Amino acid sequence: MSVPHSTDAPATVLSAKPVVLPAPGRGEDLQVRVSAPATGRGLPVVVFSHGFGWSMDGYAPLADYWAAHGFVVLQPTHLDSRTLGIPADDPRTPRIWRLRVEDLTRVLDGLDVLEAAVPGLGGRVDRGRVAVAGHSWGAQTASALLGARVLDADGVPGESMADPRVKAGVLLAAAGLGDDLTPFAAEHLPFLKPSFEAMTTPALVVAGDRDQSHLSTRGPDWFTDPYTYSPGRKSLLTLFGAEHSLGGIVGYEVAETTDESPARVALIRRLTTAFLRSTLQAEDADWQAALTALGADPEPLGSVRSK
């Protein structure tokens, strides 16, 4: 089995943390990690939303790779992070899903501060090429900026939190429709009722074919719903044998990773980078080259569908 690699060499990465953005009404100022290549101009931006309990320090296999291959990567720490220690009975808990979305918007609003935090980064960021990405709960968070909405108790879509500054998205192990929630999830996680009907921004949806969620009564295909039920330009990468950590994207030798596979992570890095490049810069042919290489692999780790 071979994994296609980008032809360009990785750049030296500069990183700053915590960069603090004031967040009135949030109860905690927003901490962000900023990572960027030391050289290059016109750098596109990826705002990454972590999964439940993680922080700006997680997801190094993705964040470091993207930064080394030409992206400015912005990683906020959401209020559910274990690093903050907020108790489950905190009055903000029912609203954390929404505060997470507002965190991503605040990061985009604070680009001046974040850009200035990394020496030499000023003036090298292309604010017209912005993407959002996320894993698990973070994928649902990111999807809101792409146009997904949360259904209320009557099944009516809530307000749109889509952001026109965002031109592309990568949704890794994003929750599917709320019709298939377990009784526990339906009672305690009412925000897990997405509507993808207005999620029109181009996106790559990544799902593992062995990702069996304890929140859903369906099988692993639940995680393909953001692709199936959204309009517009979308692609679906289905990873063979992958569970919820998709081979280890959350970190190296992390206990939560039950399906550790460096080769699978390498494929995700290659394909997400290619997708972001080609979507944010229409003339870039990296995505098509990556698909061709995947199709020619005699032992592929996944498959891609597009619409």
Short mmCIF file of all heavy atoms in Angstrom, two decimals, residues 180-231:
data_model
loop_
_atom_site.label_atom_id
_atom_site.label_comp_id
_atom_site.label_asym_id
_atom_site.label_seq_id
_atom_site.Cartn_x
_atom_site.Cartn_y
_atom_site.Cartn_z
N ASP A 180 -31.79 9.75 14.43
CA ASP A 180 -31.23 8.45 14.81
C ASP A 180 -30.47 8.49 16.12
O ASP A 180 -29.63 7.62 16.39
CB ASP A 180 -30.30 7.96 13.70
CG ASP A 180 -31.00 7.92 12.35
OD1 ASP A 180 -31.97 7.14 12.22
OD2 ASP A 180 -30.60 8.67 11.46
N LEU A 181 -30.76 9.46 17.00
CA LEU A 181 -30.06 9.56 18.27
C LEU A 181 -30.54 8.48 19.24
O LEU A 181 -31.71 8.08 19.21
CB LEU A 181 -30.29 10.93 18.90
CG LEU A 181 -29.72 12.14 18.16
CD1 LEU A 181 -30.09 13.42 18.90
CD2 LEU A 181 -28.21 12.03 18.01
N THR A 182 -29.65 8.03 20.11
CA THR A 182 -30.06 7.15 21.20
C THR A 182 -30.90 7.96 22.19
O THR A 182 -30.86 9.20 22.18
CB THR A 182 -28.83 6.61 21.93
OG1 THR A 182 -28.10 7.71 22.50
CG2 THR A 182 -27.93 5.83 20.98
N PRO A 183 -31.69 7.30 23.02
CA PRO A 183 -32.50 8.05 24.00
C PRO A 183 -31.65 8.99 24.87
O PRO A 183 -32.07 10.11 25.16
CB PRO A 183 -33.16 6.94 24.82
CG PRO A 183 -33.26 5.79 23.87
CD PRO A 183 -32.02 5.86 23.03
N PHE A 184 -30.47 8.54 25.29
CA PHE A 184 -29.60 9.39 26.10
C PHE A 184 -29.21 10.66 25.34
O PHE A 184 -29.30 11.77 25.86
CB PHE A 184 -28.35 8.64 26.52
CG PHE A 184 -27.31 9.51 27.20
CD1 PHE A 184 -27.37 9.73 28.57
CD2 PHE A 184 -26.30 10.12 26.47
CE1 PHE A 184 -26.44 10.55 29.20
CE2 PHE A 184 -25.36 10.94 27.08
CZ PHE A 184 -25.43 11.15 28.45
N ALA A 185 -28.78 10.49 24.10
CA ALA A 185 -28.35 11.64 23.31
C ALA A 185 -29.51 12.58 23.03
O ALA A 185 -29.35 13.81 23.09
CB ALA A 185 -27.73 11.17 22.00
N ALA A 186 -30.67 12.03 22.74
CA ALA A 186 -31.83 12.88 22.46
C ALA A 186 -32.21 13.72 23.67
O ALA A 186 -32.63 14.88 23.53
CB ALA A 186 -33.00 12.00 22.03
N GLU A 187 -32.03 13.15 24.87
CA GLU A 187 -32.41 13.87 26.09
C GLU A 187 -31.35 14.89 26.50
O GLU A 187 -31.68 16.02 26.89
CB GLU A 187 -32.63 12.88 27.23
CG GLU A 187 -32.98 13.56 28.56
CD GLU A 187 -33.18 12.57 29.70
OE1 GLU A 187 -33.13 11.35 29.45
OE2 GLU A 187 -33.38 13.04 30.85
N HIS A 188 -30.08 14.51 26.42
CA HIS A 188 -29.02 15.34 26.99
C HIS A 188 -28.27 16.19 25.97
O HIS A 188 -27.56 17.13 26.37
CB HIS A 188 -28.03 14.45 27.74
CG HIS A 188 -28.62 13.72 28.90
ND1 HIS A 188 -28.87 14.34 30.11
CD2 HIS A 188 -29.02 12.43 29.04
CE1 HIS A 188 -29.40 13.47 30.95
NE2 HIS A 188 -29.50 12.30 30.33
N LEU A 189 -28.41 15.88 24.70
CA LEU A 189 -27.66 16.61 23.67
C LEU A 189 -28.63 17.09 22.59
O LEU A 189 -28.55 16.69 21.42
CB LEU A 189 -26.58 15.71 23.06
CG LEU A 189 -25.61 15.06 24.05
CD1 LEU A 189 -24.73 14.04 23.35
CD2 LEU A 189 -24.75 16.12 24.75
N PRO A 190 -29.55 17.97 22.93
CA PRO A 190 -30.58 18.39 21.97
C PRO A 190 -30.02 19.14 20.76
O PRO A 190 -30.70 19.23 19.73
CB PRO A 190 -31.48 19.30 22.81
CG PRO A 190 -30.62 19.79 23.92
CD PRO A 190 -29.71 18.65 24.24
N PHE A 191 -28.79 19.65 20.86
CA PHE A 191 -28.19 20.36 19.73
C PHE A 191 -27.72 19.40 18.64
O PHE A 191 -27.35 19.84 17.54
CB PHE A 191 -27.03 21.22 20.21
CG PHE A 191 -25.95 20.45 20.91
CD1 PHE A 191 -24.94 19.82 20.21
CD2 PHE A 191 -25.96 20.33 22.30
CE1 PHE A 191 -23.95 19.09 20.86
CE2 PHE A 191 -24.97 19.60 22.96
CZ PHE A 191 -23.96 18.98 22.23
N LEU A 192 -27.72 18.09 18.92
CA LEU A 192 -27.31 17.11 17.91
C LEU A 192 -28.47 16.79 16.96
O LEU A 192 -28.81 15.63 16.73
CB LEU A 192 -26.81 15.83 18.58
CG LEU A 192 -25.37 15.85 19.10
CD1 LEU A 192 -25.01 14.51 19.72
CD2 LEU A 192 -24.39 16.18 17.98
N LYS A 193 -29.08 17.84 16.45
CA LYS A 193 -30.17 17.69 15.48
C LYS A 193 -29.91 18.65 14.33
O LYS A 193 -30.58 19.66 14.18
CB LYS A 193 -31.52 17.97 16.15
CG LYS A 193 -31.89 16.94 17.22
CD LYS A 193 -33.23 17.24 17.85
CE LYS A 193 -33.58 16.21 18.91
NZ LYS A 193 -34.87 16.50 19.58
N PRO A 194 -28.92 18.33 13.52
CA PRO A 194 -28.54 19.26 12.46
C PRO A 194 -29.44 19.19 11.23
O PRO A 194 -30.06 18.16 10.95
CB PRO A 194 -27.12 18.82 12.10
CG PRO A 194 -27.15 17.34 12.36
CD PRO A 194 -28.04 17.15 13.56
N SER A 195 -29.51 20.29 10.53
CA SER A 195 -30.07 20.32 9.19
C SER A 195 -28.95 20.76 8.26
O SER A 195 -28.31 21.79 8.48
CB SER A 195 -31.23 21.31 9.11
OG SER A 195 -31.59 21.53 7.75
N PHE A 196 -28.72 19.97 7.21
CA PHE A 196 -27.66 20.29 6.26
C PHE A 196 -28.21 20.90 4.96
O PHE A 196 -27.45 21.11 4.01
CB PHE A 196 -26.87 19.01 5.93
CG PHE A 196 -26.25 18.35 7.12
CD1 PHE A 196 -26.70 17.11 7.56
CD2 PHE A 196 -25.24 18.97 7.84
CE1 PHE A 196 -26.13 16.49 8.67
CE2 PHE A 196 -24.66 18.37 8.95
CZ PHE A 196 -25.11 17.13 9.37
N GLU A 197 -29.51 21.22 4.95
CA GLU A 197 -30.15 21.67 3.71
C GLU A 197 -29.57 22.98 3.20
O GLU A 197 -29.63 23.26 2.00
CB GLU A 197 -31.66 21.79 3.93
CG GLU A 197 -32.36 20.45 4.14
CD GLU A 197 -33.85 20.61 4.32
OE1 GLU A 197 -34.34 21.77 4.30
OE2 GLU A 197 -34.53 19.58 4.46
N ALA A 198 -29.06 23.82 4.10
CA ALA A 198 -28.51 25.11 3.69
C ALA A 198 -26.98 25.14 3.77
O ALA A 198 -26.37 26.21 3.69
CB ALA A 198 -29.10 26.23 4.55
N MET A 199 -26.34 23.97 3.92
CA MET A 199 -24.88 23.91 4.01
C MET A 199 -24.31 23.87 2.59
O MET A 199 -23.93 22.83 2.06
CB MET A 199 -24.43 22.69 4.82
CG MET A 199 -22.97 22.77 5.25
SD MET A 199 -22.47 21.41 6.35
CE MET A 199 -22.25 20.07 5.16
N THR A 200 -24.25 25.04 1.98
CA THR A 200 -23.90 25.13 0.57
C THR A 200 -22.41 25.33 0.30
O THR A 200 -21.95 25.13 -0.82
CB THR A 200 -24.66 26.29 -0.08
OG1 THR A 200 -24.36 27.51 0.63
CG2 THR A 200 -26.17 26.05 -0.04
N THR A 201 -21.64 25.72 1.31
CA THR A 201 -20.22 25.95 1.12
C THR A 201 -19.50 24.66 0.76
O THR A 201 -19.79 23.62 1.36
CB THR A 201 -19.60 26.56 2.39
OG1 THR A 201 -20.33 27.73 2.75
CG2 THR A 201 -18.15 26.95 2.17
N PRO A 202 -18.57 24.67 -0.19
CA PRO A 202 -17.83 23.44 -0.53
C PRO A 202 -17.17 22.82 0.69
O PRO A 202 -16.61 23.52 1.53
CB PRO A 202 -16.78 23.94 -1.53
CG PRO A 202 -17.39 25.15 -2.15
CD PRO A 202 -18.17 25.80 -1.05
N ALA A 203 -17.24 21.50 0.79
CA ALA A 203 -16.67 20.81 1.95
C ALA A 203 -16.25 19.40 1.60
O ALA A 203 -16.82 18.76 0.72
CB ALA A 203 -17.69 20.78 3.10
N LEU A 204 -15.24 18.93 2.34
CA LEU A 204 -14.82 17.54 2.31
C LEU A 204 -15.28 16.90 3.61
O LEU A 204 -14.90 17.34 4.70
CB LEU A 204 -13.30 17.44 2.18
CG LEU A 204 -12.69 16.04 2.33
CD1 LEU A 204 -13.19 15.10 1.25
CD2 LEU A 204 -11.16 16.11 2.33
N VAL A 205 -16.11 15.88 3.51
CA VAL A 205 -16.61 15.13 4.66
C VAL A 205 -15.77 13.85 4.77
O VAL A 205 -15.61 13.12 3.79
CB VAL A 205 -18.11 14.79 4.50
CG1 VAL A 205 -18.60 13.95 5.67
CG2 VAL A 205 -18.92 16.08 4.37
N VAL A 206 -15.25 13.58 5.97
CA VAL A 206 -14.40 12.41 6.19
C VAL A 206 -15.07 11.51 7.22
O VAL A 206 -15.42 11.96 8.32
CB VAL A 206 -13.00 12.82 6.67
CG1 VAL A 206 -12.12 11.58 6.86
CG2 VAL A 206 -12.35 13.80 5.69
N ALA A 207 -15.26 10.24 6.86
CA ALA A 207 -15.95 9.29 7.75
C ALA A 207 -15.21 7.96 7.76
O ALA A 207 -14.67 7.53 6.74
CB ALA A 207 -17.40 9.09 7.30
N GLY A 208 -15.21 7.30 8.92
CA GLY A 208 -14.63 5.97 9.04
C GLY A 208 -15.69 4.90 8.92
O GLY A 208 -16.77 5.04 9.52
N ASP A 209 -15.43 3.84 8.19
CA ASP A 209 -16.47 2.83 7.99
C ASP A 209 -16.60 1.86 9.17
O ASP A 209 -17.42 0.94 9.12
CB ASP A 209 -16.27 2.08 6.68
CG ASP A 209 -15.05 1.17 6.64
OD1 ASP A 209 -14.33 1.08 7.68
OD2 ASP A 209 -14.80 0.53 5.60
N ARG A 210 -15.82 2.11 10.25
CA ARG A 210 -16.01 1.35 11.49
C ARG A 210 -16.23 2.28 12.68
O ARG A 210 -16.00 1.91 13.83
CB ARG A 210 -14.79 0.46 11.74
CG ARG A 210 -14.66 -0.68 10.73
CD ARG A 210 -13.56 -1.65 11.11
NE ARG A 210 -13.38 -2.68 10.09
CZ ARG A 210 -12.42 -3.60 10.11
NH1 ARG A 210 -11.55 -3.60 11.11
NH2 ARG A 210 -12.33 -4.49 9.15
N ASP A 211 -16.71 3.47 12.39
CA ASP A 211 -16.97 4.46 13.44
C ASP A 211 -18.39 4.26 13.96
O ASP A 211 -19.35 4.82 13.42
CB ASP A 211 -16.77 5.86 12.88
CG ASP A 211 -16.86 6.95 13.95
OD1 ASP A 211 -17.13 6.61 15.12
OD2 ASP A 211 -16.65 8.12 13.61
N GLN A 212 -18.53 3.46 15.01
CA GLN A 212 -19.84 3.18 15.60
C GLN A 212 -20.05 4.09 16.80
O GLN A 212 -19.43 3.91 17.84
CB GLN A 212 -19.95 1.72 16.03
CG GLN A 212 -21.29 1.36 16.66
CD GLN A 212 -22.46 1.60 15.71
OE1 GLN A 212 -22.53 1.00 14.64
NE2 GLN A 212 -23.37 2.47 16.10
N SER A 213 -20.92 5.07 16.67
CA SER A 213 -21.13 6.05 17.73
C SER A 213 -22.10 5.53 18.78
O SER A 213 -23.13 4.92 18.45
CB SER A 213 -21.66 7.35 17.15
OG SER A 213 -21.97 8.27 18.18
N HIS A 214 -21.80 5.82 20.05
CA HIS A 214 -22.73 5.46 21.12
C HIS A 214 -23.87 6.47 21.22
O HIS A 214 -24.78 6.32 22.05
CB HIS A 214 -21.99 5.40 22.47
CG HIS A 214 -21.45 6.71 22.94
ND1 HIS A 214 -20.28 7.26 22.44
CD2 HIS A 214 -21.93 7.60 23.84
CE1 HIS A 214 -20.06 8.42 23.03
NE2 HIS A 214 -21.04 8.65 23.87
N LEU A 215 -23.85 7.49 20.36
CA LEU A 215 -24.91 8.50 20.36
C LEU A 215 -25.97 8.21 19.31
O LEU A 215 -27.04 8.82 19.31
CB LEU A 215 -24.31 9.89 20.08
CG LEU A 215 -23.25 10.38 21.06
CD1 LEU A 215 -22.69 11.71 20.60
CD2 LEU A 215 -23.81 10.48 22.47
N SER A 216 -25.69 7.27 18.41
CA SER A 216 -26.60 6.99 17.30
C SER A 216 -27.04 5.53 17.30
O SER A 216 -26.28 4.64 17.66
CB SER A 216 -25.91 7.31 15.97
OG SER A 216 -26.69 6.87 14.88
N THR A 217 -28.27 5.30 16.86
CA THR A 217 -28.77 3.94 16.72
C THR A 217 -28.41 3.34 15.37
O THR A 217 -28.66 2.17 15.12
CB THR A 217 -30.30 3.92 16.86
OG1 THR A 217 -30.88 4.78 15.86
CG2 THR A 217 -30.72 4.41 18.25
N ARG A 218 -27.82 4.15 14.50
CA ARG A 218 -27.38 3.69 13.19
C ARG A 218 -25.93 3.25 13.22
O ARG A 218 -25.22 3.41 14.21
CB ARG A 218 -27.54 4.82 12.16
CG ARG A 218 -28.91 4.82 11.49
CD ARG A 218 -29.12 6.06 10.67
NE ARG A 218 -28.10 6.25 9.64
CZ ARG A 218 -27.90 7.41 9.04
NH1 ARG A 218 -28.61 8.48 9.38
NH2 ARG A 218 -26.97 7.52 8.11
N GLY A 219 -25.49 2.73 12.11
CA GLY A 219 -24.10 2.32 11.99
C GLY A 219 -23.20 3.45 11.55
O GLY A 219 -23.59 4.63 11.58
N PRO A 220 -21.99 3.13 11.09
CA PRO A 220 -21.02 4.14 10.70
C PRO A 220 -21.47 5.08 9.59
O PRO A 220 -20.93 6.19 9.46
CB PRO A 220 -19.81 3.30 10.25
CG PRO A 220 -19.93 2.02 11.03
CD PRO A 220 -21.40 1.76 11.08
N ASP A 221 -22.48 4.66 8.80
CA ASP A 221 -22.94 5.54 7.72
C ASP A 221 -23.59 6.82 8.26
O ASP A 221 -23.83 7.77 7.52
CB ASP A 221 -23.90 4.80 6.79
CG ASP A 221 -25.24 4.53 7.44
OD1 ASP A 221 -25.25 4.03 8.59
OD2 ASP A 221 -26.27 4.81 6.81
N TRP A 222 -23.88 6.87 9.57
CA TRP A 222 -24.42 8.09 10.20
C TRP A 222 -23.50 9.27 9.94
O TRP A 222 -23.95 10.40 9.73
CB TRP A 222 -24.58 7.84 11.70
CG TRP A 222 -25.29 8.93 12.46
CD1 TRP A 222 -26.52 9.45 12.20
CD2 TRP A 222 -24.82 9.59 13.64
NE1 TRP A 222 -26.86 10.40 13.15
CE2 TRP A 222 -25.82 10.49 14.04
CE3 TRP A 222 -23.66 9.49 14.41
CZ2 TRP A 222 -25.70 11.32 15.16
CZ3 TRP A 222 -23.53 10.31 15.53
CH2 TRP A 222 -24.53 11.21 15.90
N PHE A 223 -22.20 9.01 9.93
CA PHE A 223 -21.22 10.08 9.78
C PHE A 223 -21.09 10.55 8.32
O PHE A 223 -20.35 11.49 8.06
CB PHE A 223 -19.86 9.62 10.31
CG PHE A 223 -19.85 9.43 11.80
CD1 PHE A 223 -20.01 8.16 12.35
CD2 PHE A 223 -19.70 10.51 12.66
CE1 PHE A 223 -20.01 7.98 13.73
CE2 PHE A 223 -19.72 10.34 14.03
CZ PHE A 223 -19.87 9.07 14.57
N THR A 224 -21.80 9.91 7.41
CA THR A 224 -21.80 10.37 6.02
C THR A 224 -22.95 11.33 5.73
O THR A 224 -23.03 11.89 4.64
CB THR A 224 -21.86 9.19 5.04
OG1 THR A 224 -23.14 8.55 5.14
CG2 THR A 224 -20.77 8.17 5.33
N ASP A 225 -23.86 11.53 6.68
CA ASP A 225 -25.03 12.39 6.47
C ASP A 225 -24.69 13.81 6.02
O ASP A 225 -25.41 14.38 5.19
CB ASP A 225 -25.89 12.44 7.73
CG ASP A 225 -26.70 11.17 7.95
OD1 ASP A 225 -26.64 10.26 7.09
OD2 ASP A 225 -27.38 11.07 9.00
N PRO A 226 -23.64 14.44 6.58
CA PRO A 226 -23.34 15.81 6.11
C PRO A 226 -23.06 15.87 4.61
O PRO A 226 -23.30 16.91 3.99
CB PRO A 226 -22.10 16.19 6.92
CG PRO A 226 -22.18 15.34 8.16
CD PRO A 226 -22.77 14.04 7.70
N TYR A 227 -22.57 14.79 4.04
CA TYR A 227 -22.38 14.72 2.59
C TYR A 227 -23.71 14.41 1.89
O TYR A 227 -24.09 15.10 0.92
CB TYR A 227 -21.36 13.64 2.25
CG TYR A 227 -21.26 13.31 0.78
CD1 TYR A 227 -20.51 14.10 -0.07
CD2 TYR A 227 -21.93 12.20 0.26
CE1 TYR A 227 -20.42 13.80 -1.44
CE2 TYR A 227 -21.84 11.89 -1.10
CZ TYR A 227 -21.09 12.69 -1.94
OH TYR A 227 -21.01 12.40 -3.28
N THR A 228 -24.42 13.42 2.38
CA THR A 228 -25.62 12.94 1.71
C THR A 228 -26.72 13.98 1.66
O THR A 228 -27.41 14.13 0.63
CB THR A 228 -26.15 11.68 2.43
OG1 THR A 228 -25.12 10.69 2.45
CG2 THR A 228 -27.39 11.12 1.73
N TYR A 229 -26.89 14.74 2.74
CA TYR A 229 -28.05 15.63 2.87
C TYR A 229 -27.74 17.11 2.66
O TYR A 229 -28.59 17.96 2.92
CB TYR A 229 -28.72 15.42 4.23
CG TYR A 229 -29.31 14.04 4.37
CD1 TYR A 229 -28.63 13.04 5.08
CD2 TYR A 229 -30.51 13.70 3.75
CE1 TYR A 229 -29.16 11.76 5.19
CE2 TYR A 229 -31.03 12.42 3.86
CZ TYR A 229 -30.36 11.46 4.58
OH TYR A 229 -30.88 10.19 4.68
N SER A 230 -26.55 17.42 2.17
CA SER A 230 -26.22 18.82 1.91
C SER A 230 -26.17 19.06 0.40
O SER A 230 -25.81 18.16 -0.37
CB SER A 230 -24.87 19.18 2.53
OG SER A 230 -23.82 18.42 1.94
N PRO A 231 -26.51 20.27 -0.03
CA PRO A 231 -26.45 20.59 -1.45
C PRO A 231 -25.06 21.12 -1.82
O PRO A 231 -24.18 21.29 -0.98
CB PRO A 231 -27.49 21.70 -1.58
CG PRO A 231 -27.40 22.42 -0.26
CD PRO A 231 -27.09 21.36 0.77
#
